[in-house]
């Protein structure tokens, strides 16, 4: 079986398949495995990053092979994989960002949280640092990613030093002039996408004040209706209402929530850079979770606007895709074609299957559901004839693809951890693909010479 994408869903799916006796080749377009565990989870959430060790265990199961630095859709096509394997499980996640669709979004200083998260996590595709030379950053959206980004931007850099944050990003954060991060939410606190624990983590930050801007005293009216809300929503509303008001904050570094604020335009300075967000006040309609426009606008001066409004999956040639839902249509992981019928041998798991929501662990049950469907289908196909050797390695060699194997990755992993130990850090990451491959080839040469 082939699995495409070595993130959490790919590894959890592979583990279930391997434990049932399947042979699994796992393809990953980047040299390093682990997907969002390495490149998405915030560097100051090292406990969650520990999931990477579970993936190492999976990689030791008999029948597992890793093909890192191999891009399906470029080095190999999906139809080719489907020819070479009995079943193909695609777990390529949702790698792109969503757009707000408002004027000014393309200005310099307007970036996506996807790019900022990739930047501080040393993702090879996100080298550019966001401009940190102004004293305020505005973040659009109040999901857990928005709170991660806010925390990393204002947290004292000394606290980030022991983590695996990218070295250049850490340097840039040391020089950052940002003092205030304002989070703009188009709805109220009861409908905020963040988890309460993430808000509490912000409040606990040392040397950072967290407050709420509430000029219309709307929170009081919201609290009057709190008894009707589900427990989780009420808890969020009450936690926000307990925050000090923005005007009373005294710390040099601050995080400020502005609820009922919908961005309508990013305004430019004379040089085409962002100078402010123009947003419209919204108000509750009375229907749960719904707000309406008020026609009252305000400008928030800022030179950096980070849209943190979710991730978006990118279609893969040969794989059915629903643009409207931004997922691959599927029935418990079995891919469905345009006619609504199951496409034999093709499966999905993770964010490409169910959309960009949930914690790392959510992918375990999601991938297991798909893997069980694959095993059920495989049982129907099983012929008990040993499979002929798969020509995949020869094919990739012929195409000049430098495959990174799991032992290669483990050597890189050890080298990163050792570099980190020398610097008093969890690890020092290698960002660039070329650097990773050059290091691996250099080590191979050294070993051959030795
Ligand atoms: P998310 O949870 O879907 O949050 C998206 C945010 O963007 C919401 O506040 C949403 O507001 C807002 N938004 C969407 N479209 C908008 C628009 N056009 N204008 C203004 N605001 C807009 O997405 P995420 O933060 O990217 O997180 C993705 C998933 O990863 C989530 O399930 C999250 O829990 C998970 N995650 C977890 C952790 C953790 O556990 N520590 C860390 C990071 C991510 P509305 O609600 O009004 O639509």
């Amino acid at each position: 079986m082939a699995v495409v994408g070595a993130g959490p869903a790919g590894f959890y799916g592979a583990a279930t398949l391997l434990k049932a006796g399947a042979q699994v080749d796992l393809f990953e377009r980047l040299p390093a495995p682990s997907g969002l565990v390495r490149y998405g989870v915030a560097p100051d959430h090292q406990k969650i990053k520990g999931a990477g060790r579970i993936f190492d265990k999976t990689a030791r199961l008999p029948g597992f092979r890793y093909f890192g630095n191999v891009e399906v859709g470029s080095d190999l096509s999906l139809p080719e994989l489907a020819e070479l394997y009995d079943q193909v499980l695609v777990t390529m996640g949702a790698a792109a960002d969503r757009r707000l669709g408002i004027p000014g979004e393309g200005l310099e200083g307007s970036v996506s949280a996807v790019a900022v998260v990739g930047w501080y996590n040393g993702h090879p595709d996100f080298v550019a640092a966001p401009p940190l030379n102004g004293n305020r950053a505005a973040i659009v959206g109040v999901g857990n990613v928005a709170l991660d980004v806010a925390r990393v931007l204002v947290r004292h850099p000394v606290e980030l030093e022991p983590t695996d944050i990218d070295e250049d990003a850490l340097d840039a954060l040391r020089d950052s002039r940002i003092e205030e991060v304002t989070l703009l939410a188009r709805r109220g606190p009861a409908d905020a996408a963040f988890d309460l624990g993430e808000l509490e983590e912000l409040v606990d930050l040392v040397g950072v004040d967290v407050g709420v801007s509430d000029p219309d005293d709307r929170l009081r009216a919201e609290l009057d209706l709190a008894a009707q809300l589900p427990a989780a929503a009420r808890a969020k509303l009450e936690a926000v209402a307990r925050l000090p008001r923005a005007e009373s904050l005294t710390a040099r570094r601050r995080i400020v929530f502005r609820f009922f604020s919908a961005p309508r335009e990013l305004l430019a300075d004379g040089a085409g850079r962002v100078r402010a967000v123009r947003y419209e006040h919204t108000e509750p309609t009375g229907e749960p979770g719904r707000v309406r426009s008020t026609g009252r606008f305000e400008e928030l001066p800022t030179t950096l606007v980070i849209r943190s409004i979710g991730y978006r999956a990118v279609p893969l040639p040969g794989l059915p895709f629903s643009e409207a839902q931004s997922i691959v249509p599927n029935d418990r992981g079995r891919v469905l074609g345009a006619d609504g019928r199951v496409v034999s041998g093709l499966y999905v798991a993770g964010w490409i299957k169910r959309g960009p929501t949930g914690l790392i662990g959510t992918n375990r049950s999601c991938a297991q559901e798909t893997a069980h469907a694959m095993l059920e289908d495989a049982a129907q196909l099983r012929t008990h004839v040993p499979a002929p050797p798969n020509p995949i390695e020869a094919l990739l060699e012929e195409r000049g693809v430098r495959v990174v194997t799991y032992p290669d990755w483990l050597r890189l992993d050890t080298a990163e951890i050792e570099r980190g130990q020398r610097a008093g850090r969890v690890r020092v990451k290698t960002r660039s693909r070329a650097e990773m491959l050059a290091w691996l080839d250099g080590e191979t040469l050294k070993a051959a010479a030795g």
Side-chain angles (χ1 to χ4, degrees):
M1 296 173 182
V3 177
V4 182
F11 270 103
Y12 288 132
T16 302
L17 298 173
L18 290 160
K19 285 175 191 162
Q23 295 186 2
V24 175
D25 285 354
L26 175 57
F27 295 86
E28 166 59 50
R29 79 184 176 94
L30 298 175
S34 298
L36 282 183
V37 167
R38 180 176 166 95
Y39 293 123
V41 172
D44 54 351
H45 279 175
Q46 287 296 320
K47 251 202 199 147
I48 307 176
K49 284 194 184 266
R53 293 293 150 227
I54 299 168
F55 304 160
D56 289 346
K57 264 195 184 165
T58 300
R60 285 198 293 273
L61 292 172
F64 177 87
R65 294 193 303 179
Y66 177 64
F67 291 79
N69 197 40
V70 179
E71 183 161 10
V72 174
S74 150
D75 297 317
L76 268 176
S77 70
L78 187 63
E80 279 176 321
L81 269 194
E83 275 286 303
L84 292 171
Y85 293 85
D86 291 336
Q87 296 175 315
V88 181
L89 166 60
V90 180
T91 66
M92 53 193 282
D97 60 273
R98 291 183 58 234
R99 311 275 296 183
L100 282 160
I102 60 174
E105 203 171 2
L107 292 171
E108 199 183 320
S110 160
V111 298
S112 71
V114 174
V116 176
V117 168
W119 166 71
Y120 63 57
N121 270 318
H123 192 296
D125 295 348
F126 300 106
V127 181
L132 303 175
N133 50 351
N135 58 12
R136 179 187 280 129
I139 301 183
V140 179
V142 288
N144 285 330
V145 169
L147 268 59
D148 277 349
V149 172
R151 202 177 61 247
V152 170
L153 288 181
V154 297
R155 172 160 233 161
H156 201 292
V158 167
E159 293 183 321
L160 293 169
E161 268 168 25
T163 74
D164 66 346
I165 189 168
D166 174 75
E167 280 189 309
D168 292 338
L170 182 59
D171 277 344
L173 288 167
R174 285 191 185 109
D175 294 340
S176 166
R177 297 231 188 107
I178 291 178
E179 295 184 340
E180 182 175 304
V181 175
T182 304
L183 291 138
L184 296 171
R186 59 184 173 179
R187 300 190 291 160
D191 298 305
F194 61 70
D195 290 317
L196 190 55
E198 303 299 308
L199 176 65
E200 288 166 353
E201 198 182 338
L202 286 189
V203 171
D204 288 345
L205 285 177
V206 175
V208 177
D209 278 354
V210 180
V212 59
S213 170
D214 185 25
D216 300 336
D217 212 9
R218 181 146 287 142
L219 288 176
R220 202 199 313 226
E222 289 287 293
L223 277 172
D224 286 344
L225 304 169
Q228 303 161 16
L229 292 170
R234 191 170 63 230
K236 276 191 245 186
L237 169 59
E238 288 171 353
V240 168
R242 278 195 301 274
L243 294 175
R245 295 302 171 260
E247 315 74 69
S248 68
L249 304 185
T250 52
R252 195 171 70 84
R253 292 186 168 221
R254 301 171 301 277
I255 295 174
V256 175
F257 286 88
R258 286 191 190 205
F259 290 95
F260 300 106
S261 302
R264 298 293 186 225
E265 186 177 1
L266 306 190
L267 306 173
D269 65 10
R273 289 181 300 245
V274 170
R275 69 165 174 82
V277 187
R278 185 164 184 264
Y279 64 93
E280 182 172 6
H281 291 273
T282 61
E283 61 187 14
T285 61
E287 274 176 272
R290 308 214 47 138
V291 291
R292 64 175 157 242
S293 305
T294 61
R296 282 172 44 230
F297 292 86
E298 212 166 313
E299 283 181 21
L300 177 74
T302 180
T303 47
L304 172 58
V305 178
I306 302 170
R307 58 180 181 281
S308 183
I309 58 170
Y311 286 68
R312 179 173 58 82
V314 186
L316 176 68
L319 191 63
F321 190 73
S322 157
E323 287 289 348
Q325 294 172 284
S326 196
I327 58 164
V328 172
N330 69 90
D331 177 11
R332 285 160 295 159
R334 292 180 176 97
V335 172
L336 301 176
D339 56 1
R341 309 248 293 258
V342 167
V343 180
S344 171
L346 212 47
Y347 303 83
V348 282
W351 278 7
I352 192 95
K353 168 183 171 186
R354 57 174 215 279
T357 59
L359 312 180
I360 297 293
T362 315
N363 293 296
R364 183 198 292 265
S365 48
C366 172
Q368 282 172 347
E369 180 188 57
T370 303
H372 285 133
M374 292 172 75
L375 293 166
E376 250 174 66
D377 295 353
Q380 315 247 322
L381 299 173
R382 193 161 289 160
T383 55
H384 301 288
V385 174
N390 191 315
I392 185 75
E393 282 167 304
L395 182 72
L396 290 170
E397 196 178 328
E398 197 183 294
R399 292 183 182 175
V401 182
R402 175 17 170 141
V403 175
V404 174
T405 64
Y406 216 76
D408 280 343
W409 157 245
L410 289 175
R411 284 191 292 135
L412 252 172
D413 184 38
T414 306
E416 285 190 347
I417 293 170
E418 284 175 0
R419 276 177 71 196
Q421 276 166 352
R422 288 195 290 277
R425 310 191 51 206
V426 173
R427 73 166 65 227
V428 172
K429 279 183 181 169
T430 313
R431 183 192 287 273
S432 112
R433 271 195 190 102
E435 217 180 296
M436 281 189 187
L437 300 181
W439 184 90
L440 280 173
D441 292 338
E443 287 298 297
T444 309
L445 281 179
K446 258 199 265 168

